[in-house]
């Protein structure tokens, strides 16, 4: 597990793992792939026939996710998944609808859920179409700043959510299967590698990290919306959990580090991470690297061909940053 790392001050990644094709990671259903009866139900909710659709190419699931435009000018972002053919995706959409409904009173910077449709075969979400772009990759300084500022707003607006939802928010080690045990497998393969042993020991301390609160759990560039009206929003709220409130910030910085950004000053200056002991950051980086490394070894899913590529690149980026911080 010897990964190359970023050259300090460089703006170019020197990671060896291939990166995912930006903006083209998902293989999704199109509007015409949906059953005619379901399309009719969606148009009934929209109040007008759909005249055009723009399928979104980001993400790692095959669920339907399109910006729909109707004859009367209505615009809505609609997600849909089959409970028969795409059960896991349908379950995640159901969870997203539940979470967005629960978060509505907190003024969280997220697109508004307008309506849902749930029958024996399909789950459909009608979400505000915000007219936005996702950040470019490699990360641009201004867009990274907007994203880090967004995560501050998310933390502020959800400060009471973890207490209010109680047991509805699982701890991170339960929300992400394999997060706790990844290093047990990896360390067994390399029993004589002291860095692997050190990383395993760090990751084992994850459940004991303080400052527990609400965590989005999937803060990636393709879940950040840079709106034309000046807003910056976070979408895909189907993996929330309880953990250190700064986890989302560090996840974004892992990707920025992988793109060649010097992230240490950003880590030191951010209001959520500036006062966090470095050892705690390293605990999460170790856990994240191990989990992504194991995820990257799983069999290829034809419906999500770039999921493994994303996991392997993320594992290398996290390990590279951890290694530079620990002087390995």
């Amino acid at each position: 597990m010897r990964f190359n790392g970023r050259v300090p001050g460089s703006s170019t990644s020197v990671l060896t793992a291939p990166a995912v094709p930006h903006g083209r990671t998902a293989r999704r259903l199109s509007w015409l792939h949906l059953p005619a009866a379901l399309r009719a139900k969606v148009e009934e909710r929209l109040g007008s026939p759909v005249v055009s659709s723009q399928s979104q190419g980001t993400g790692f699931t095959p669920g339907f996710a399109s910006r729909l435009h109707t004859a009367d000018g209505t615009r809505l972002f609609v997600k849909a998944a089959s409970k028969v053919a795409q059960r896991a995706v349908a379950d995640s959409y159901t969870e997203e609808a539940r979470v967005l409904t629960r978060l509505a009173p907190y003024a969280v910077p997220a697109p508004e859920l307008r309506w849902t449709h749930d029958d024996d075969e399909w789950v459909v979400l009608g979400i505000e179409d915000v007219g936005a772009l996702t950040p470019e990759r490699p990360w641009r300084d201004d867009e990274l700043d907007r994203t880090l500022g967004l995560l501050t707003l998310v933390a502020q607006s959800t400060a009471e959510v973890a207490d209010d939802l109680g047991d509805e928010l699982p701890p991170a080690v339960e929300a992400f299967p394999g997060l706790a045990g990844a290093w047990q497998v990896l360390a067994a393969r390399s029993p004589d590698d002291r860095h692997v042993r050190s990383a395993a020991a760090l990751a084992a301390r994850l459940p004991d990290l303080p400052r527990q609160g609400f965590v989005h759990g999937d803060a990636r560039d393709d879940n950040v919306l840079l709106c034309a009206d000046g807003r910056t929003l976070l979408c895909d709220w189907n993996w929330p959990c309880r953990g250190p409130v700064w986890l989302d910030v560090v996840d974004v910085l892992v990707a920025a580090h992988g793109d060649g950004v010097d992230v240490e000053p950003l880590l030191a200056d951010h209001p959520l991470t500036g006062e966090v002991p470095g050892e705690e950051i390293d605990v999460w980086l170790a856990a994240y690297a191990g989990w992504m490394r194991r995820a990257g070894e799983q069999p290829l899913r034809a419906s999500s061909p770039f999921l493994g590529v994303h996991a392997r690149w993320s594992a290398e980026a996290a390990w590279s940053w951890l290694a530079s911080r620990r002087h390995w």
Side-chain angles (χ1 to χ4, degrees):
M1 287 190 60
R2 305 284 184 173
F3 294 147
N4 291 328
R6 168 187 55 79
V7 176
S10 170
S11 61
T12 304
S13 173
V14 292
L15 302 184
T16 60
V20 298
H22 181 64
R24 295 181 288 109
T25 52
R27 291 183 177 175
R28 299 192 183 278
L29 298 171
S30 70
W31 173 244
L32 293 180
H33 285 139
L34 299 183
L38 183 63
R39 296 201 306 270
K41 290 178 181 178
V42 171
E43 289 181 325
E44 181 180 354
R45 297 299 298 263
L46 289 168
S48 181
V50 171
V51 295
S52 67
S53 64
Q54 295 175 294
S55 184
Q56 303 305 292
T58 60
F60 297 99
T61 65
F64 175 81
S66 288
R67 300 173 67 182
L68 302 183
H69 299 176
T70 69
D72 69 357
T74 299
R75 299 187 176 204
L76 201 68
F77 179 60
V78 174
K79 302 173 76 169
S82 166
K83 292 183 177 180
V84 177
Q86 303 170 312
R87 185 73 216 195
V89 181
D91 287 347
S92 73
Y93 287 177
T94 299
E95 176 65 6
E96 181 175 7
R98 186 187 73 84
V99 171
L100 286 174
T101 300
R102 296 286 273 143
L103 291 179
Y106 297 93
V108 176
E112 177 187 352
L113 177 67
R114 298 286 174 80
W115 51 260
T116 62
H117 170 83
D118 193 333
D119 59 29
D120 292 339
E121 297 182 350
W122 289 86
V123 174
V124 186
L125 277 60
I127 301 172
E128 172 192 10
D129 181 8
V130 297
L133 298 174
T134 57
E136 294 182 13
R137 295 290 299 275
W139 279 97
R140 289 174 29 182
D141 289 347
D142 59 332
E143 294 180 347
L144 183 55
D145 286 345
R146 281 183 68 174
T147 300
L148 294 175
L150 165 67
L151 296 179
T152 301
L153 294 177
V154 170
Q156 292 171 345
S157 62
T158 59
E160 299 178 0
V161 171
D163 290 336
D164 288 352
L165 297 189
D167 293 338
E168 293 183 41
L169 280 179
V173 292
E174 295 178 8
F176 300 100
L179 184 62
W183 279 108
Q184 296 176 8
V185 176
L186 297 172
R189 298 178 190 166
S190 307
D192 297 326
D193 190 321
R194 63 185 180 88
H195 294 150
V196 169
R197 293 197 306 271
S198 296
L202 281 169
R205 295 162 51 190
L206 180 60
D208 300 324
L209 289 182
R211 287 178 281 278
Q212 297 285 311
F214 182 92
V215 176
H216 176 273
D218 200 18
R220 303 192 312 259
D221 60 282
D222 54 332
N223 285 335
V224 174
L225 302 176
L226 306 174
C227 305
D229 61 11
R231 292 181 297 166
T232 308
L233 305 177
L234 193 59
C235 64
D236 283 9
W237 292 81
N238 40 16
W239 300 109
C241 59
R242 184 188 296 270
V245 295
W246 44 263
L247 285 192
D248 293 327
V249 172
V250 175
D251 287 355
V252 167
L253 292 181
V254 166
H257 168 85
D259 283 352
V261 177
D262 183 3
V263 296
E264 288 295 337
L266 299 174
L267 186 75
D269 290 343
H270 197 278
L272 296 180
T273 55
E275 301 299 323
V276 177
E279 191 79 357
E280 294 181 18
I281 303 294
D282 291 350
V283 165
W284 176 245
L285 287 176
Y288 185 83
W291 179 57
M292 282 294 186
R293 181 66 181 267
R294 286 289 292 146
E297 296 175 346
Q298 302 311 304
L300 175 67
R301 299 180 188 177
S303 60
S304 301
F306 295 106
L307 188 59
V309 177
H310 165 72
R312 290 187 290 273
W313 187 91
S314 299
E316 184 172 347
W319 182 267
S320 167
W321 188 14
L322 176 65
S324 70
R325 287 172 56 86
R326 307 293 288 191
H327 305 290
W328 291 347

